[in-house]
Amino acid sequence: MRQILTTSIGLAFVILTVAAHATSVPPTTPNVSTPSMSSKVGVINPQQALKSMVACPPTITGAATNAPQPWSPSAVSMTVVNAKLSDQPLPQQQMLCFYEGVGSKWYIGRNIQPEFKSCAAVNSSTFSCTK
């Protein structure tokens, strides 16, 4: 009888030991850092996600009038020289691109709204706009 009890206790100990290993946390691996583990993948600055850069066309072609030759000079190629916002309040405010070339000056405008909430000129040919 004593042998059966010892065998039963031994068997119970083996079962508990196996169960404990099955539910325990696996051993940790050495602390090895890889680029994919340490980089901040997927982290986006919400302020940057809402910004868009809008550039003026670098050159435009224009004519002084729509009159036929000889009154109308030939088409003139103009390059962008400045970018600024119009003086109107929102929602009528526009992004303005100013052009010059061969003695001619011209500008074109693009409405800010409804596409953007606001815009600011960042240099002589680009706007930063918030969606």
Side-chain angles (χ1 to χ4, degrees):
M1 174 106 161
R2 182 174 177 181
Q3 186 178 13
I4 295 172
L5 183 60
T6 306
T7 306
S8 296
I9 292 174
L11 184 58
F13 180 74
V14 170
I15 291 172
L16 289 175
T17 305
V18 170
H21 283 290
T23 59
S24 66
V25 177
T28 59
T29 57
N31 188 7
V32 177
S33 177
T34 62
S36 62
M37 291 172 58
S38 62
S39 65
K40 294 180 180 180
V41 176
V43 176
I44 297 173
N45 182 344
Q47 296 300 326
Q48 289 178 339
L50 298 176
K51 296 268 185 186
S52 293
M53 299 303 283
V54 180
C56 296
T59 60
I60 60 170
T61 303
T65 69
N66 59 358
Q69 289 287 348
W71 293 281
S72 174
S74 61
V76 175
S77 178
M78 293 179 263
T79 57
V80 66
V81 293
N82 196 16
K84 70 176 194 173
L85 297 176
S86 67
D87 294 332
Q88 291 92 358
L90 290 171
Q92 295 85 16
Q93 193 172 40
Q94 293 184 330
M95 295 175 271
L96 300 176
C97 300
F98 292 87
Y99 295 85
E100 292 183 7
V102 192
S104 297
K105 294 183 180 183
W106 195 254
Y107 73 91
I108 57 174
R110 176 179 172 182
N111 291 338
I112 292 173
Q113 292 187 346
E115 185 177 359
F116 302 108
K117 287 183 182 177
S118 65
C119 293
V122 293
N123 60 35
S124 63
S125 65
T126 309
F127 296 90
S128 174
C129 298
T130 304
K131 292 186 177 193

